[in-house]
Amino acid sequence: MKSYNLIKIMKKFPYAFYFLLVIPFFQLTAQPLIPDYLNPDKSIEVRIENALSLMTLEEKVALCHAQSQFSSAGVPRLGIPEINYSDGPNGVREELMNNSYAHANWRNDSCTGFPALTCLSATFNPLIAYDYGVAMGEEALYRKKDVLLSPGVNIFRTPMNGRNFEFMGEDPFLTGQMAVPVIKGIQSNGVAACVKSVALSNQETNRKYINVMVSDRALHEIYLPAFKTAVEDGKSWTVMGSYSRLRGQYCCQNDLLLNKIIKKDWNFDGVILADWGGVHDTREAALNGLNVEMGTNTDGNLSKYDDYNNYNLGFPFLRLLKNGEIPLTVVDDKCRRILRLIMRTSMNRNRGFGRFVCEYHSSIARKVAEEGIVLLKNQNNLLPIQKGKYQKIAVIGENAIRNLTAAGGSSELKVKYEVSPLEGLKAKFGKENITFSYGYSAGPNTWGKVVDSKLDKDSLFKAAVETARNADIVLFVGGLNKSWFQESEGSDRKSYNLPYNQDELIEAIQNVNKKTVVLLLSGNAVAMPWLQKVSALLQCWYIGSEAGNAIANIISGEINPSGKLPFSFPKKLEDNGAMFYGKKSYPGDSVVHYMEDILVGYRWYDTKKITPQFPFGYGLSYTIFEYGKIITDKKNYETNETITLSFTLKNTGKTDGAEATQVYATQPKASVLRPAKELKAFRKVFLKAGETQTVEQKIKVKDLAFYNDRTQAWTVEPGEFILRNASSAADVKSSISITISN
């Protein structure tokens, strides 16, 4: 068209020019305005493949390693956000510096301190475990965290492990059932739970290189089931590898654990994360299933290396990919998983904003603490103490005032508030009725070091005894305190006894006052040479911000104790299965042999006929529960069926309360060693005084299997099985025999 004709047309039809401009605009807007990876209406898998197709090889590799102490990269060019991590066994850790473990000293990162996981497990209550997870997830979300490094599900093997308080006890079934609701609660906020540390993280001594020799049967029956349950039932979005080695290969780059078991056998579709500093070889890390490497080489110290790109899964990984020594499908699999995690968390349009240090979170922390505290002894019903009964109450022991949310390594917290036991008791019974005496002092505690107190130990001891002599009743608040060589990441305990001469002090106190109640704040069993002499004993754990209020509510009877021990207390250290075999079994040297095999915890005590100080599942109440006889829906089952069992439970006392009922199973005659009993079901039942309820439980026959080393498969051998209802592993109420056929 000639230009003068165009001018004539525009004069005759003045709006035609605008029409010509609009046509290409409509053509443009008819196409998608955003790529598929940013479109929330598309499935996650479609978005992943779209994003992956647009990424360079360098961008893919950058996803696979840390970019700071607690974050890993996104893809900035495509608007894909980074991943932010936080320690979180029992709260969201305060902000640290980008490239070190030094505190950032923010003023808005003081969190709620929740009870440690040992306390949560002692509740035997999956319902409250879900609330615990929701509250933790809300705090992480508010702090803009995408991955919370919790829960820890490693099995208690020995009471000497300094990190036991971060885990859930000695039984894989209880641990798995309590971990699942925590995971679901955390992830309901669009924050990923990270189940840790798979596997065999059972000691801190030599943890960075210890080589564990364990049978296939013990691995699959004891040390892996809780992880399996967390992945298959809890649908955890991330899993962390452990520092130790399994049969010579580090767990963070272990083909058997990561590729064959977690990804193939368990169909895990999430991210496997290395523990900080847990990777040692680029090729193994790349090929054996690891997805994201954190903390290796620099470990936050950037003066040692150029930058985080020098991690094993950084430039060294990139070179192997470019040279064709590792196929591109390997990095693509890692990136798919990492992108899936990002889209489940930070790119999840449905997640909210969270909550931080609110009354709801405080109430959850308090309820978990109240349900988890275990009454171990109550001679002559000394407890509860009614308000006004005693005018002179002596509270003795530094743990009554010590900050127990701080220290401990990765579990350290900077809490908004922490009600000490002394504060809680004063508020409950009146400060005018309470006299406090230190009794002992550990002094300040710091990472890796305990600073001796300048206070005169003899003077503290004598003053405490005089305080006890002049009191109507004594509440001794002792235990451990998350210091080095007691309970802390990085070190195991040196002694089974209480530190700081507490054993001698308790003996002296009860000699001058028979009404002595001992409250132990710890996550481990301890020796109790004074047990027969004291009147009452409470295991109070590390219970966080609401510690004092929860303890006071239990002591006063406002709350009826209902916690049960998630692990056995041996009378002496040598009674424990791992300790029985000596140094070769624990702590080992460069190698540790799990010589007790499948007989861990109560499995050992029951099978070897050793009486523990307190058995697994044990816990008293201020009321009395009467168990009816266990019955089943029938007597003969096939392997694909489910057993339905029931029994009555009656609260025959005058106080409302709760009982954590337990069901154990055994196979009397089998081709392999079977433990004397194994926990297969539990249920916490709340009953008013005089109330009776029928307790029903279901057990899948396949869950009565053992792991067959020869066939590398789970096997249910036909024959007789015994089911027992019980209030603890040592207190069986009734039994019933059933038969399993092929």
Side-chain angles (χ1 to χ4, degrees), residues 488-522:
S488 174
E489 181 185 8
S491 69
D492 282 343
R493 297 168 65 188
K494 291 284 190 181
S495 171
Y496 188 46
N497 288 84
L498 290 172
Y500 316 120
N501 295 318
Q502 289 181 73
D503 290 332
E504 292 81 359
L505 180 57
I506 293 171
E507 287 271 3
I509 287 171
Q510 67 82 32
N511 282 337
V512 300
N513 195 321
K514 299 304 180 185
K515 291 183 178 180
T516 297
V517 180
V518 174
L519 291 78
L520 293 178
L521 277 63
S522 72

mmCIF file of all heavy atoms in Angstrom, residues 488-522:
data_model
loop_
_atom_site.group_PDB
_atom_site.id
_atom_site.type_symbol
_atom_site.label_atom_id
_atom_site.label_comp_id
_atom_site.label_asym_id
_atom_site.label_seq_id
_atom_site.Cartn_x
_atom_site.Cartn_y
_atom_site.Cartn_z
ATOM 1 N N SER A 488 24.471 -32.955 75.451
ATOM 2 C CA SER A 488 24.762 -31.897 74.495
ATOM 3 C C SER A 488 25.204 -32.508 73.189
ATOM 4 O O SER A 488 25.850 -33.567 73.177
ATOM 5 C CB SER A 488 25.862 -30.976 75.028
ATOM 6 O OG SER A 488 26.237 -30.026 74.052
ATOM 7 N N GLU A 489 24.871 -31.860 72.102
ATOM 8 C CA GLU A 489 25.431 -32.262 70.819
ATOM 9 C C GLU A 489 26.948 -32.180 70.887
ATOM 10 O O GLU A 489 27.509 -31.235 71.432
ATOM 11 C CB GLU A 489 24.917 -31.340 69.712
ATOM 12 C CG GLU A 489 25.448 -31.709 68.339
ATOM 13 C CD GLU A 489 25.045 -30.741 67.255
ATOM 14 O OE1 GLU A 489 24.474 -29.689 67.589
ATOM 15 O OE2 GLU A 489 25.302 -31.044 66.081
ATOM 16 N N GLY A 490 27.616 -33.194 70.364
ATOM 17 C CA GLY A 490 29.071 -33.166 70.285
ATOM 18 C C GLY A 490 29.798 -33.919 71.375
ATOM 19 O O GLY A 490 31.004 -34.158 71.262
ATOM 20 N N SER A 491 29.091 -34.310 72.446
ATOM 21 C CA SER A 491 29.771 -35.041 73.517
ATOM 22 C C SER A 491 28.804 -36.020 74.181
ATOM 23 O O SER A 491 27.605 -35.758 74.271
ATOM 24 C CB SER A 491 30.323 -34.082 74.574
ATOM 25 O OG SER A 491 29.275 -33.470 75.306
ATOM 26 N N ASP A 492 29.347 -37.137 74.629
ATOM 27 C CA ASP A 492 28.579 -38.098 75.408
ATOM 28 C C ASP A 492 28.850 -37.888 76.897
ATOM 29 O O ASP A 492 29.779 -37.172 77.293
ATOM 30 C CB ASP A 492 28.952 -39.530 75.014
ATOM 31 C CG ASP A 492 28.300 -39.969 73.711
ATOM 32 O OD1 ASP A 492 27.334 -39.309 73.279
ATOM 33 O OD2 ASP A 492 28.756 -40.962 73.120
ATOM 34 N N ARG A 493 28.033 -38.538 77.698
ATOM 35 C CA ARG A 493 28.184 -38.424 79.143
ATOM 36 C C ARG A 493 29.425 -39.174 79.615
ATOM 37 O O ARG A 493 29.825 -40.184 79.037
ATOM 38 C CB ARG A 493 26.943 -38.987 79.843
ATOM 39 C CG ARG A 493 25.680 -38.229 79.524
ATOM 40 C CD ARG A 493 24.441 -38.971 79.993
ATOM 41 N NE ARG A 493 24.391 -39.080 81.447
ATOM 42 C CZ ARG A 493 23.487 -39.812 82.094
ATOM 43 N NH1 ARG A 493 22.573 -40.510 81.411
ATOM 44 N NH2 ARG A 493 23.481 -39.851 83.405
ATOM 45 N N LYS A 494 30.014 -38.691 80.695
ATOM 46 C CA LYS A 494 31.181 -39.333 81.292
ATOM 47 C C LYS A 494 30.788 -40.305 82.397
ATOM 48 O O LYS A 494 31.518 -41.237 82.712
ATOM 49 C CB LYS A 494 32.125 -38.274 81.866
ATOM 50 C CG LYS A 494 32.818 -37.407 80.823
ATOM 51 C CD LYS A 494 33.935 -38.154 80.143
ATOM 52 C CE LYS A 494 34.770 -37.222 79.283
ATOM 53 N NZ LYS A 494 35.854 -37.931 78.577
ATOM 54 N N SER A 495 29.638 -40.042 83.012
ATOM 55 C CA SER A 495 29.222 -40.845 84.163
ATOM 56 C C SER A 495 27.719 -41.055 84.126
ATOM 57 O O SER A 495 26.965 -40.203 83.641
ATOM 58 C CB SER A 495 29.608 -40.141 85.472
ATOM 59 O OG SER A 495 29.045 -40.794 86.593
ATOM 60 N N TYR A 496 27.289 -42.202 84.660
ATOM 61 C CA TYR A 496 25.858 -42.488 84.762
ATOM 62 C C TYR A 496 25.248 -41.799 85.978
ATOM 63 O O TYR A 496 24.038 -41.627 86.067
ATOM 64 C CB TYR A 496 25.661 -44.007 84.848
ATOM 65 C CG TYR A 496 24.224 -44.468 84.777
ATOM 66 C CD1 TYR A 496 23.344 -43.956 83.827
ATOM 67 C CD2 TYR A 496 23.744 -45.439 85.653
ATOM 68 C CE1 TYR A 496 22.032 -44.392 83.755
ATOM 69 C CE2 TYR A 496 22.437 -45.887 85.583
ATOM 70 C CZ TYR A 496 21.584 -45.358 84.644
ATOM 71 O OH TYR A 496 20.277 -45.787 84.573
ATOM 72 N N ASN A 497 26.096 -41.376 86.909
ATOM 73 C CA ASN A 497 25.608 -40.708 88.118
ATOM 74 C C ASN A 497 25.281 -39.241 87.855
ATOM 75 O O ASN A 497 25.713 -38.657 86.862
ATOM 76 C CB ASN A 497 26.649 -40.805 89.225
ATOM 77 C CG ASN A 497 26.755 -42.200 89.793
ATOM 78 O OD1 ASN A 497 27.456 -43.044 89.241
ATOM 79 N ND2 ASN A 497 26.057 -42.456 90.886
ATOM 80 N N LEU A 498 24.518 -38.658 88.757
ATOM 81 C CA LEU A 498 24.235 -37.234 88.677
ATOM 82 C C LEU A 498 25.507 -36.439 88.931
ATOM 83 O O LEU A 498 26.315 -36.815 89.787
ATOM 84 C CB LEU A 498 23.168 -36.839 89.700
ATOM 85 C CG LEU A 498 21.752 -37.342 89.434
ATOM 86 C CD1 LEU A 498 20.848 -37.048 90.635
ATOM 87 C CD2 LEU A 498 21.181 -36.707 88.181
ATOM 88 N N PRO A 499 25.708 -35.335 88.227
ATOM 89 C CA PRO A 499 26.911 -34.517 88.425
ATOM 90 C C PRO A 499 26.789 -33.590 89.632
ATOM 91 O O PRO A 499 25.718 -33.456 90.229
ATOM 92 C CB PRO A 499 26.979 -33.708 87.122
ATOM 93 C CG PRO A 499 25.542 -33.547 86.721
ATOM 94 C CD PRO A 499 24.854 -34.822 87.142
ATOM 95 N N TYR A 500 27.885 -32.937 89.975
ATOM 96 C CA TYR A 500 27.941 -31.883 90.989
ATOM 97 C C TYR A 500 27.543 -32.380 92.383
ATOM 98 O O TYR A 500 26.900 -31.665 93.152
ATOM 99 C CB TYR A 500 27.063 -30.683 90.598
ATOM 100 C CG TYR A 500 27.199 -30.291 89.150
ATOM 101 C CD1 TYR A 500 26.099 -30.310 88.297
ATOM 102 C CD2 TYR A 500 28.438 -29.923 88.621
ATOM 103 C CE1 TYR A 500 26.227 -29.977 86.956
ATOM 104 C CE2 TYR A 500 28.572 -29.592 87.282
ATOM 105 C CZ TYR A 500 27.467 -29.620 86.458
ATOM 106 O OH TYR A 500 27.588 -29.295 85.120
ATOM 107 N N ASN A 501 27.878 -33.645 92.685
ATOM 108 C CA ASN A 501 27.624 -34.226 94.014
ATOM 109 C C ASN A 501 26.140 -34.244 94.381
ATOM 110 O O ASN A 501 25.780 -34.217 95.571
ATOM 111 C CB ASN A 501 28.406 -33.464 95.097
ATOM 112 C CG ASN A 501 29.909 -33.609 94.928
ATOM 113 O OD1 ASN A 501 30.411 -34.686 94.635
ATOM 114 N ND2 ASN A 501 30.626 -32.511 95.096
ATOM 115 N N GLN A 502 25.287 -34.323 93.385
ATOM 116 C CA GLN A 502 23.850 -34.346 93.683
ATOM 117 C C GLN A 502 23.434 -35.603 94.434
ATOM 118 O O GLN A 502 22.535 -35.551 95.285
ATOM 119 C CB GLN A 502 23.044 -34.236 92.389
ATOM 120 C CG GLN A 502 23.096 -32.870 91.735
ATOM 121 C CD GLN A 502 22.259 -32.820 90.473
ATOM 122 O OE1 GLN A 502 21.030 -32.805 90.523
ATOM 123 N NE2 GLN A 502 22.929 -32.802 89.324
ATOM 124 N N ASP A 503 24.049 -36.748 94.102
ATOM 125 C CA ASP A 503 23.683 -37.986 94.798
ATOM 126 C C ASP A 503 23.934 -37.858 96.295
ATOM 127 O O ASP A 503 23.082 -38.225 97.125
ATOM 128 C CB ASP A 503 24.484 -39.168 94.231
ATOM 129 C CG ASP A 503 24.070 -39.538 92.816
ATOM 130 O OD1 ASP A 503 22.896 -39.305 92.465
ATOM 131 O OD2 ASP A 503 24.918 -40.045 92.063
ATOM 132 N N GLU A 504 25.088 -37.323 96.648
ATOM 133 C CA GLU A 504 25.424 -37.138 98.068
ATOM 134 C C GLU A 504 24.495 -36.108 98.720
ATOM 135 O O GLU A 504 24.082 -36.268 99.882
ATOM 136 C CB GLU A 504 26.881 -36.681 98.203
ATOM 137 C CG GLU A 504 27.914 -37.723 97.812
ATOM 138 C CD GLU A 504 28.144 -37.817 96.311
ATOM 139 O OE1 GLU A 504 27.474 -37.080 95.546
ATOM 140 O OE2 GLU A 504 28.977 -38.636 95.895
ATOM 141 N N LEU A 505 24.162 -35.082 97.979
ATOM 142 C CA LEU A 505 23.289 -34.042 98.526
ATOM 143 C C LEU A 505 21.884 -34.585 98.786
ATOM 144 O O LEU A 505 21.277 -34.296 99.830
ATOM 145 C CB LEU A 505 23.232 -32.857 97.556
ATOM 146 C CG LEU A 505 22.355 -31.675 97.974
ATOM 147 C CD1 LEU A 505 22.782 -31.114 99.326
ATOM 148 C CD2 LEU A 505 22.400 -30.575 96.904
ATOM 149 N N ILE A 506 21.354 -35.383 97.861
ATOM 150 C CA ILE A 506 20.021 -35.968 98.057
ATOM 151 C C ILE A 506 20.024 -36.868 99.291
ATOM 152 O O ILE A 506 19.079 -36.849 100.095
ATOM 153 C CB ILE A 506 19.589 -36.748 96.804
ATOM 154 C CG1 ILE A 506 19.380 -35.792 95.626
ATOM 155 C CG2 ILE A 506 18.303 -37.532 97.071
ATOM 156 C CD1 ILE A 506 19.151 -36.494 94.296
ATOM 157 N N GLU A 507 21.080 -37.672 99.452
ATOM 158 C CA GLU A 507 21.199 -38.537 100.636
ATOM 159 C C GLU A 507 21.166 -37.699 101.913
ATOM 160 O O GLU A 507 20.449 -38.025 102.872
ATOM 161 C CB GLU A 507 22.514 -39.323 100.566
ATOM 162 C CG GLU A 507 22.543 -40.430 99.541
ATOM 163 C CD GLU A 507 22.051 -41.747 100.096
ATOM 164 O OE1 GLU A 507 21.637 -41.775 101.283
ATOM 165 O OE2 GLU A 507 22.048 -42.734 99.345
ATOM 166 N N ALA A 508 21.934 -36.607 101.930
ATOM 167 C CA ALA A 508 22.006 -35.768 103.126
ATOM 168 C C ALA A 508 20.673 -35.089 103.411
ATOM 169 O O ALA A 508 20.259 -34.965 104.577
ATOM 170 C CB ALA A 508 23.114 -34.724 102.950
ATOM 171 N N ILE A 509 19.979 -34.668 102.367
ATOM 172 C CA ILE A 509 18.696 -33.992 102.543
ATOM 173 C C ILE A 509 17.650 -34.943 103.114
ATOM 174 O O ILE A 509 16.928 -34.598 104.067
ATOM 175 C CB ILE A 509 18.214 -33.398 101.206
ATOM 176 C CG1 ILE A 509 19.058 -32.173 100.837
ATOM 177 C CG2 ILE A 509 16.740 -33.026 101.264
ATOM 178 C CD1 ILE A 509 18.802 -31.646 99.450
ATOM 179 N N GLN A 510 17.574 -36.149 102.550
ATOM 180 C CA GLN A 510 16.539 -37.064 103.037
ATOM 181 C C GLN A 510 16.858 -37.565 104.449
ATOM 182 O O GLN A 510 15.959 -38.002 105.165
ATOM 183 C CB GLN A 510 16.338 -38.218 102.048
ATOM 184 C CG GLN A 510 17.482 -39.187 101.896
ATOM 185 C CD GLN A 510 17.492 -40.237 102.994
ATOM 186 O OE1 GLN A 510 16.436 -40.628 103.480
ATOM 187 N NE2 GLN A 510 18.687 -40.662 103.387
ATOM 188 N N ASN A 511 18.113 -37.471 104.860
ATOM 189 C CA ASN A 511 18.459 -37.845 106.236
ATOM 190 C C ASN A 511 17.880 -36.870 107.256
ATOM 191 O O ASN A 511 17.638 -37.240 108.409
ATOM 192 C CB ASN A 511 19.981 -37.902 106.407
ATOM 193 C CG ASN A 511 20.571 -39.180 105.838
ATOM 194 O OD1 ASN A 511 19.882 -40.187 105.701
ATOM 195 N ND2 ASN A 511 21.861 -39.132 105.492
ATOM 196 N N VAL A 512 17.660 -35.621 106.834
ATOM 197 C CA VAL A 512 17.120 -34.631 107.761
ATOM 198 C C VAL A 512 15.649 -34.311 107.479
ATOM 199 O O VAL A 512 15.005 -33.621 108.282
ATOM 200 C CB VAL A 512 17.938 -33.318 107.726
ATOM 201 C CG1 VAL A 512 19.394 -33.603 108.114
ATOM 202 C CG2 VAL A 512 17.867 -32.647 106.374
ATOM 203 N N ASN A 513 15.132 -34.810 106.354
ATOM 204 C CA ASN A 513 13.724 -34.559 106.029
ATOM 205 C C ASN A 513 13.201 -35.709 105.172
ATOM 206 O O ASN A 513 13.549 -35.841 104.002
ATOM 207 C CB ASN A 513 13.566 -33.234 105.281
ATOM 208 C CG ASN A 513 12.128 -32.759 105.253
ATOM 209 O OD1 ASN A 513 11.201 -33.545 105.094
ATOM 210 N ND2 ASN A 513 11.925 -31.456 105.404
ATOM 211 N N LYS A 514 12.376 -36.542 105.772
ATOM 212 C CA LYS A 514 11.874 -37.728 105.074
ATOM 213 C C LYS A 514 10.879 -37.385 103.976
ATOM 214 O O LYS A 514 10.626 -38.201 103.083
ATOM 215 C CB LYS A 514 11.212 -38.690 106.072
ATOM 216 C CG LYS A 514 12.156 -39.195 107.146
ATOM 217 C CD LYS A 514 13.388 -39.865 106.541
ATOM 218 C CE LYS A 514 14.345 -40.371 107.605
ATOM 219 N NZ LYS A 514 15.588 -40.905 107.017
ATOM 220 N N LYS A 515 10.326 -36.201 104.027
ATOM 221 C CA LYS A 515 9.390 -35.788 102.979
ATOM 222 C C LYS A 515 10.172 -35.070 101.876
ATOM 223 O O LYS A 515 10.129 -33.848 101.740
ATOM 224 C CB LYS A 515 8.297 -34.888 103.549
ATOM 225 C CG LYS A 515 7.341 -35.620 104.480
ATOM 226 C CD LYS A 515 6.231 -34.705 104.975
ATOM 227 C CE LYS A 515 5.253 -35.478 105.867
ATOM 228 N NZ LYS A 515 4.166 -34.600 106.367
ATOM 229 N N THR A 516 10.895 -35.877 101.130
ATOM 230 C CA THR A 516 11.730 -35.339 100.059
ATOM 231 C C THR A 516 11.231 -35.832 98.711
ATOM 232 O O THR A 516 11.112 -37.038 98.488
ATOM 233 C CB THR A 516 13.205 -35.743 100.242
ATOM 234 O OG1 THR A 516 13.699 -35.172 101.462
ATOM 235 C CG2 THR A 516 14.059 -35.274 99.076
ATOM 236 N N VAL A 517 10.945 -34.883 97.831
ATOM 237 C CA VAL A 517 10.517 -35.179 96.466
ATOM 238 C C VAL A 517 11.652 -34.777 95.532
ATOM 239 O O VAL A 517 12.151 -33.651 95.592
ATOM 240 C CB VAL A 517 9.246 -34.385 96.094
ATOM 241 C CG1 VAL A 517 8.805 -34.714 94.662
ATOM 242 C CG2 VAL A 517 8.124 -34.668 97.089
ATOM 243 N N VAL A 518 12.073 -35.705 94.663
ATOM 244 C CA VAL A 518 13.131 -35.418 93.695
ATOM 245 C C VAL A 518 12.503 -35.188 92.331
ATOM 246 O O VAL A 518 11.711 -36.002 91.849
ATOM 247 C CB VAL A 518 14.157 -36.568 93.631
ATOM 248 C CG1 VAL A 518 15.166 -36.329 92.506
ATOM 249 C CG2 VAL A 518 14.878 -36.713 94.968
ATOM 250 N N LEU A 519 12.856 -34.076 91.718
ATOM 251 C CA LEU A 519 12.416 -33.759 90.365
ATOM 252 C C LEU A 519 13.648 -33.753 89.473
ATOM 253 O O LEU A 519 14.565 -32.943 89.674
ATOM 254 C CB LEU A 519 11.745 -32.384 90.307
ATOM 255 C CG LEU A 519 10.384 -32.212 90.988
ATOM 256 C CD1 LEU A 519 10.543 -32.067 92.495
ATOM 257 C CD2 LEU A 519 9.670 -30.981 90.442
ATOM 258 N N LEU A 520 13.687 -34.661 88.498
ATOM 259 C CA LEU A 520 14.831 -34.770 87.600
ATOM 260 C C LEU A 520 14.523 -34.081 86.276
ATOM 261 O O LEU A 520 13.557 -34.432 85.588
ATOM 262 C CB LEU A 520 15.177 -36.238 87.347
ATOM 263 C CG LEU A 520 15.704 -37.033 88.545
ATOM 264 C CD1 LEU A 520 15.945 -38.478 88.140
ATOM 265 C CD2 LEU A 520 16.994 -36.410 89.088
ATOM 266 N N LEU A 521 15.355 -33.113 85.934
ATOM 267 C CA LEU A 521 15.257 -32.461 84.635
ATOM 268 C C LEU A 521 16.400 -32.991 83.783
ATOM 269 O O LEU A 521 17.576 -32.648 84.007
ATOM 270 C CB LEU A 521 15.344 -30.941 84.781
ATOM 271 C CG LEU A 521 14.033 -30.218 85.154
ATOM 272 C CD1 LEU A 521 13.511 -30.634 86.511
ATOM 273 C CD2 LEU A 521 14.231 -28.709 85.108
ATOM 274 N N SER A 522 16.054 -33.858 82.835
ATOM 275 C CA SER A 522 17.058 -34.493 81.980
ATOM 276 C C SER A 522 16.335 -35.177 80.834
ATOM 277 O O SER A 522 15.114 -35.303 80.836
ATOM 278 C CB SER A 522 17.873 -35.527 82.771
ATOM 279 O OG SER A 522 17.072 -36.677 83.051
#
